[in-house]
Amino acid sequence: MVAASIIAASTSSLAVAYQISPNPNYGDIVIFSDDEAENYLTPFENFGFLIVASSATLRNYGDLQNHGYLWVGDDWGGADIENHGSLINHGLVVFGRGNDHIYGGGLISNSGRFVGDINKSGHDTIEASALDNSGLFDVNSQVIINGEVTNSGDFINHELHVGTFVNTGSFQNPFATSNADGYSYTQFYGETVNNGEIEFMFIDIHGGSLKGTGTLVGNVNIGSSATVIPGSSPGTLSIDGDLHSSGNYVFEIAGVNSGQYDVLDIDGNAFFTGGNFKFEFIDGYLPSPGDHWDFLVADSLNGFDTVGFTFAGLGDGLGIDFHNEGGKISLTVITAVPEPETYAMLLAGLGLMGFMACRRKLKEAA
């Protein structure tokens, strides 16, 4: 195996950036304190140890693939990886105890282990244009992703800022079961697609959309600018906790059988203060009188009379009857009954028709 250690000047003002080598690396590459190193290779593959020591900087403009061990920072201070290309981890990435940073707007992909020091006193920051995790991502850091996070593995973090979060794995807050305040999953815009499990003490969706067939573990708040779309054309979205909502919901219905319509299943209490429920009949399905769906289930239901309802695809002459039985809300298609005003107009019209017929008969008799 080939080993390489690189030593540079002792101060950053004298440091000259250089290409890390050899490639591939099966030994040790150490970027010492105050040193600056670069990678332009596509790919650069590390099967050994790549260590970015405290106060050092590694700039990546190529495709940096780690199959071995990548250490960022140390016990004496933080380090920086300026990522303008792709940082792909199949091995182990570890943050030290200092203030470590990965930034630069590149891509991060993890199928291995991406972990931080849980005993650290510093605060890390990870920034990227997109992040794809199919392994273990467990970093007590501020994570800022300007584009999309796709998670099919285990994602553990307490401060995520993201445009779109697509989850088919597990997303947890390490403090979700503690009594500490302020640990929440918060969304002001964008989209969360959860087909796995998201667990936080508080899940606050102030804006944007929330959709999927997964489970939200924690107390959920849906703001007035947010839209919830249970299921995945269609399916069931579950909440293991209480729901407080002033937002909007879209339920898709493609039939009367289980799995053909959306369901919001709440293992807790539901509190509504306004908002709107829209029901869309999709895939060519035409409802008939007597069709029935249990679309919302909760331990208890409060404020449901403050919610508005709209329907798309409900045929002419049909109406909807809502029924609440112990927290289970169902809707049934019925034949619409004309309002009293409609009856009055109908009778007036019939009377006018009779009067005109009588006048015609009188004229003919004359």
Side-chain angles (χ1 to χ4, degrees), residues 341-357:
E341 293 82 357
T342 305
Y343 276 122
M345 293 177 63
L346 177 62
L347 292 174
L350 291 175
L352 179 61
M353 291 174 63
F355 174 73
M356 295 299 294

Side-chain angles (χ1 to χ4, degrees), residues 43 60 73 75 81 83 89 108 164 190 238 257 262 266 268 286 344 366:
N60 176 48
D75 291 345
I81 294 181
N83 179 39
N89 177 53
I108 298 177
T164 299
S238 301
N257 298 321
D262 289 336
I266 306 167
L286 299 176

